[in-house]
Each structure stands twice: as C-alpha cells, then as structure tokens.
Amino acid sequence: MRACFMGLGYIGLPTAIIAAKHGIDVVGVDINKNVVSSTNQGRLHIVEPGMEQLLKEVIASKKFKAYTEPQTCDAYFIVVPTPFKGNHEPDITYVESATKMVIPFLKKGDLFVIESTSPVGTTEKMTGIIFSQRPELQGNIYIAYCPERVLPGNVIYELENNDRVIGGIDAASTEKAKEFYKIFVKGNLHSTNSRTAEMCKLTENSSRDVQIAFANELSMICDKAGINVWELINLANKHPRVNILQPGCGVGGHCIAVDPYFITAEFPQEAKIIAKAREINNYKALWCAEKVKNSILEFELKNKRKPKVAMMGIAFKPNIDDLRESPAKAITFNVMHSCDNAEIMVVEPNVKSHDELPLTDYKKAYDNADIVVFLVNHKEFAELNYRKDVIVLDFCGTFKKI
C-alpha cells in the first residue's frame, strides 16, 4: 500500500505521519517548498506534542517522504484548506486543484478520499471532474469522503482512537476506504454515503458552535447583572441533565468558526439557530475588545498616564500555536489599532515570533502590566499569582473563582 496525502498542514501532515507509522508507504505533497524541505529533514512546521519524534522515525525508516508534486500511489487523500470567498461562501478551489493534480496518476483499483471540510455535494462534484477527464476510470476506482475528528494538542491519540464516518459514492467505495482506515484507526468506522458524511462534519462543529454561543451569551448577561459566570455555570452544571460549556472571547480555528457557514451559505432560510450562534460568537470578540478599550480609557483618566496592557494569548485555543480565525488575535489587533493611549504587550508562549505583533514573555508582561487581559487559557498562565494591584479582564476563566 502506497498512499499520497495532498496537503501537509495541521491535519494532512499528522495523518500522513500516523499512516506511515503503521507501515504504509506515504508520499506527502505540499506546494510550499519550505514545508516540504523541513518535513524531509524531520522538522515539524506545526506545534503538536510528540509528532516531531514520530516524523523523525518515519523519515528515518523511509516510510514517509515529502514532495511538491504527487507521485504514483494506490490511494490519494485530499487534505487541503477550504477557505471563504465573498460573504462567508465556501471556496473549494483548493480541493478542486488538488484533485486535478492527482487525476493523471489515478489507475484502476485506486482509492480517492477527500478529508477536507467541504460543502455537501463536493465529493460528487470532484467525482464528476475525475470522470470527465478520465472516463475510463468510471466504475474502476473508489471514491469516498472521510472527515477528520481531531483535537489540536491531542492529535496522535485522536487520529488512532476516534471513530470515523466514511461515506463513499457507492457501497464498494465505502468499504474500500474502510479497509484503508482500519490500518491505523482503532475506533469504529461508520458507513454512510458521501453527502451524509459531508453534512456530519458540518453538523458536529455547528452543534459545538451553538453550545459555545449559549455560554458566551450567558457571560455577557452575567457581566451586566454583576454575576460571576464561572460560579454560575459550575452550579448550573450540578443538574444531572445540564452541561453548559465554558465561555471565552469568541470562537476560532478552522473548524468551529468556519464549518457552520458551509451550512448557512447553502441553506440560509433554514439554518436560523446556526446563523445566530455564529453572530453571537463573532460579537463576543467585539464585546471583549470594547471592554478592554473602556478599561484603558478609564485608567488613563484616573491615573493621568498611559497604561501598560498585557494581552495574554493570541492562539485560537489553549496550548497550541494555531492562530487561524483566532478571536484573541482579532481582539489584540482591534485594541492596538484603536488605542494610542496605551502600551500594548502581546503574549503567546506557543509562538516564537509574529510578523505583525511583537511578542513579550508572559511573566514579564504580567509583572509589568497595569491591565491584564486573559484571552486564552494557556497552561503557563496557571502558574501566575492573582494580582490585586492591577485591573484583570479574564475572558477565558484563568482566575475563575476570583
């Protein structure tokens, strides 16, 4: 078995490494030459615990090698981004481009799988493109959709242990894809069709977005009512059938903050709750930014000087380096561009440098700040002692009980 993974990003690269670890000969493909070079040197270009050691092992064993172009294989996996265009309309041009790159390499008996989060019907559309260019392959290759289900920071465990949903364009394609995933997935493999599998991925993340929106809305209500939202949620969750999530400064990443739009763009009249949840979670970031700016203004008026402000965390979630769709980063940019009357210190312990945001050590920033804004609940921040001599805006629950 030789497998080709198109796209060596946050999902494609770890999946390729895990597949190689389980004995599959893996070809990794990325158009970024720097990614290909660093990967072949055993250097991970993303932050994921334990993954770089596995990369070194599969490179050394010659089970994995990266290229800038596809190679002849038995199975092809499309794991590229699906960004937006226009007004949050999904853009599948990367999926289409990657598909067209592998079409010349496809042969009878091959497996073609899309893992990229996609609008309903994308797998069928790519199937049409493949058969229009290679009509002799119709009925002779297997095509399926299998969305990833991993949590950044715990990818190794989740790639191997989570259940997977696999939807083929026909029953034979579903079974062929299941045969491949059985090689490294210990979880259950659930069979369906490609459209249901595509919708399943969007549904999972839309559900989580709605639940987070409830927590974020509750946090804004509690702020106005003078109630500690962290205590409130803890007490409410004592009910045997209540499980409210923790609020934050918004929702980020390339899943929960993105996938609901794939539904609302295609079903705008039907997806009312999903659309409202997106609106609430986007608004929460603006609400947080306004709270910070008001605190800066109040400090300046009271103390007759510019405050030093520590913006604690710019990743989209705790303990990772991923800044995609990060509300914390958006809030930081908003405050920096709006407040000439403050010295802003930006903290992100998981990122070494940033082109637009000069970074400060988290302890130095915390110790020297007049206003501390907790945006992401990184593990490093748990070491900090609560300072009563500064203004603390805790949007992520670093100091829940205070």
Side-chain angles (χ1 to χ4, degrees):
M1 169 65 70
R2 194 172 192 229
C4 175
F5 286 82
M6 301 293 292
L8 297 177
Y10 285 92
I11 301 301
L13 181 55
T15 308
I17 292 170
I18 294 298
K21 171 193 167 189
H22 284 79
I24 300 168
D25 292 320
V26 174
V27 168
V29 180
D30 202 284
I31 59 173
N32 188 323
K33 294 180 180 179
N34 292 330
V35 168
V36 170
S37 177
S38 63
T39 299
N40 284 330
Q41 293 171 36
R43 292 186 289 109
L44 203 69
H45 72 95
I46 59 175
V47 173
E48 184 57 47
M51 192 63 71
E52 186 165 86
Q53 180 57 40
L54 290 184
L55 173 61
K56 293 180 187 299
E57 291 173 8
V58 295
I59 291 290
S61 67
K62 301 188 185 306
K63 280 294 180 182
F64 178 62
K65 187 173 181 179
Y67 300 84
T68 55
E69 298 284 344
Q71 309 293 308
T72 300
C73 291
D74 307 301
Y76 299 84
F77 298 83
I78 308 301
V79 202
V80 295
T82 44
F84 293 139
K85 60 182 179 181
N87 184 25
H88 291 112
E89 297 173 6
D91 181 359
I92 62 170
T93 55
Y94 290 174
V95 173
E96 187 172 333
S97 177
T99 298
K100 289 178 177 178
M101 287 178 71
V102 305
I103 287 176
F105 297 88
L106 292 172
K107 59 189 183 300
K108 183 178 179 179
D110 282 354
L111 173 65
F112 175 89
V113 178
I114 300 174
E115 285 204 4
S116 302
T117 302
S118 304
V120 175
T122 299
T123 306
E124 293 171 348
K125 184 175 182 179
M126 294 307 111
T127 300
I129 292 174
I130 292 170
F131 292 156
S132 68
Q133 294 190 23
R134 298 283 306 279
E136 77 279 9
L137 293 175
Q138 193 157 357
N140 291 312
I141 63 170
Y142 306 94
I143 300 175
Y145 182 81
C146 180
E148 53 81 16
R149 278 176 167 170
V150 298
L151 181 70
N154 195 36
V155 168
I156 294 175
Y157 176 84
E158 299 215 343
L159 274 174
E160 295 180 326
N161 292 277
N162 286 356
D163 286 11
R164 300 294 289 264
V165 173
I166 300 176
I169 59 168
D170 52 40
S173 293
T174 301
E175 291 307 310
K176 186 71 171 181
K178 287 174 70 175
E179 287 176 13
F180 177 85
Y181 284 99
K182 282 178 183 176
I183 297 172
F184 63 90
V185 175
K186 299 173 186 175
N188 294 320
L189 303 177
H190 303 278
S191 303
T192 185
N193 57 68
S194 62
R195 294 176 72 87
T196 303
E198 290 163 343
M199 190 61 165
C200 186
K201 169 67 172 178
L202 305 181
T203 299
E204 291 164 7
N205 285 326
S206 296
S207 172
R208 295 174 67 201
D209 197 41
V210 170
Q211 294 172 53
I212 295 169
F214 179 80
N216 280 335
E217 186 172 88
L218 193 62
S219 71
M220 292 183 283
I221 294 170
C222 287
D223 181 78
K224 195 167 188 177
I227 296 170
N228 184 321
V229 68
W230 313 104
E231 180 185 3
L232 174 67
I233 291 174
N234 180 56
L235 293 172
N237 283 346
K238 301 300 182 184
H239 188 291
R241 288 171 296 280
V242 173
N243 185 25
I244 304 169
L245 301 183
Q246 300 294 294
C249 63
V251 175
H254 208 259
C255 287
I256 301 177
V258 175
D259 294 359
Y261 289 121
F262 287 49
I263 297 178
T264 59
E266 192 167 354
F267 308 100
Q269 296 304 313
E270 294 81 8
K272 300 297 186 183
I273 292 176
I274 295 171
K276 192 63 180 179
R278 278 281 74 234
E279 181 183 324
I280 291 167
N281 286 331
N282 285 337
Y283 174 71
K284 183 64 186 293
L286 296 174
W287 183 86
C288 291
E290 290 304 311
K291 295 285 284 187
V292 177
K293 288 186 280 188
N294 287 338
S295 293
I296 290 172
L297 181 59
E298 290 172 5
F299 182 95
E300 186 182 31
L301 291 173
K302 180 180 179 180
N303 297 280
K304 309 301 181 185
R305 66 176 178 86
K306 293 182 177 182
K308 295 180 180 180
V309 182
M311 306 295 288
M312 307 292 282
I314 57 171
F316 85 80
K317 63 173 292 181
N319 308 320
I320 63 171
D321 70 331
D322 196 341
L323 309 184
R324 291 178 298 174
E325 309 295 330
S326 170
K329 186 178 73 170
I331 293 166
T332 300
F333 272 119
N334 186 324
V335 172
M336 289 183 72
H337 293 159
S338 304
C339 298
D340 294 329
N341 56 334
E343 179 185 333
I344 308 295
M345 296 174 287
V346 182
V347 170
E348 181 44 67
N350 296 291
V351 175
K352 292 180 180 178
S353 63
H354 191 279
D355 292 340
E356 299 175 84
L357 296 170
L359 302 179
T360 303
D361 175 76
Y362 74 96
K363 289 182 179 178
K364 180 180 178 182
Y366 185 71
D367 291 341
N368 288 281
D370 300 301
I371 300 173
V372 179
V373 184
F374 285 104
L375 298 169
V376 189
N377 203 5
H378 289 311
K379 63 180 184 296
E380 289 85 355
F381 303 161
E383 305 170 7
L384 302 172
N385 294 318
Y386 187 80
R387 291 181 58 190
K388 295 182 178 180
D389 60 323
V390 299
I391 299 168
V392 176
L393 299 177
D394 189 358
F395 298 125
C396 59
T398 302
F399 299 122
K400 288 185 176 69
K401 296 298 183 182
I402 298 175

